[in-house]
Amino acid sequence: MGRPRMFDDDVVVSRAMEAFWTHGYGGTSPAQLAEATGIAKGSLYNAFASKRDLFDRCLDLYHQQVSEMAQRLLEHPGSTRECIGAALRSVVDGDLAQPHRRGCLIGNTAVELAGHDAEIAGKLRRMQDESTSWFAARIQRGQLEGDIARARDPQALAEHLANTLAGLRVMAMTHDAPVLHRVIDTALAVL
């Protein structure tokens, strides 16, 4: 009979997510994962089968956290433009406040792996499509409340905002708030 686990899977996945987010999938070694999680390499791979299995769980956790944050941010009162603008600024300001600017784990993974890994590309696409749907839902709400013209295409506007957010997460690695806030203001002009 094997020894019982002496660690919490959720804590390990959260710590591993931070390592992958900082160093990328390919740049995170088993030794770095062991150090970040506090779990010996052997125990880590016994618990998670492979680096890829652990990474997939990390992506799921990241997406869950992003989903919860988006729901909170997009439920704020105010017009659609005010609400989405505040949400975009909150994400950008959060990125800028980090000691190491690292962008978005989903976007970073798309750049690193999606071009040559169809499975991960499909997973990331589903995540990105879901985030686009959050913008579309808020735009549709704005149409019902009368602050967005009903003739506007909510999906097209949502795709524009999702693309803007992805670009902002990249730009936040090298630019400061005034530039990023101007990008947000320009993006919101279409609403």
Side-chain angles (χ1 to χ4, degrees), residues 82-115:
E82 292 166 343
C83 181
I84 291 175
L88 293 173
R89 279 187 285 283
S90 177
V91 171
V92 162
D93 293 344
D95 282 352
L96 295 175
Q98 296 299 315
H100 176 75
R101 295 185 189 185
R102 54 192 176 167
C104 171
L105 179 60
I106 293 169
N108 297 348
T109 302
V111 171
E112 180 183 3
L113 300 176

Side-chain angles (χ1 to χ4, degrees), residues 84-85 88-89 92 160-172 175-190:
I84 291 175
L88 293 173
R89 279 187 285 283
V92 162
H160 164 71
L161 292 169
N163 186 63
T164 299
L165 178 58
L168 286 165
R169 301 295 306 271
V170 172
M171 286 183 72
H175 290 77
D176 290 322
V179 170
L180 301 171
H181 288 189
R182 275 195 309 272
V183 170
I184 291 168
D185 292 343
T186 302
L188 293 172
V190 302

Side-chain angles (χ1 to χ4, degrees), residues 25-153:
Y25 178 77
T28 304
S29 70
Q32 287 171 310
L33 287 170
E35 182 180 340
T37 62
I39 307 297
K41 286 187 279 187
S43 296
L44 201 56
Y45 285 111
N46 283 336
F48 296 100
S50 69
K51 178 180 172 181
R52 177 60 179 264
D53 179 56
L54 178 57
F55 184 68
D56 283 342
R57 296 228 358 226
C58 291
L59 278 175
D60 292 340
L61 174 62
Y62 182 84
H63 183 63
Q64 175 190 339
Q65 291 174 350
V66 168
S67 297
E68 291 167 0
M69 181 180 69
Q71 288 175 342
R72 281 192 316 274
L73 292 173
L74 293 174
E75 287 300 317
H76 282 279
S79 72
T80 301
R81 181 182 290 186
E82 292 166 343
C83 181
I84 291 175
L88 293 173
R89 279 187 285 283
S90 177
V91 171
V92 162
D93 293 344
D95 282 352
L96 295 175
Q98 296 299 315
H100 176 75
R101 295 185 189 185
R102 54 192 176 167
C104 171
L105 179 60
I106 293 169
N108 297 348
T109 302
V111 171
E112 180 183 3
L113 300 176
H116 58 273
D117 185 325
E119 183 180 337
I120 200 82
K123 180 177 189 135
L124 297 172
R125 170 74 184 263
R126 288 186 296 278
M127 291 175 175
Q128 291 166 332
D129 287 348
E130 184 179 333
S131 66
T132 301
S133 75
W134 304 326
F135 285 121
R138 185 59 182 91
I139 292 164
Q140 289 167 339
R141 176 179 155 191
Q143 288 175 318
L144 292 173
E145 293 173 355
D147 64 60
I148 300 288
R150 289 185 186 263
R152 304 300 304 272
D153 180 349

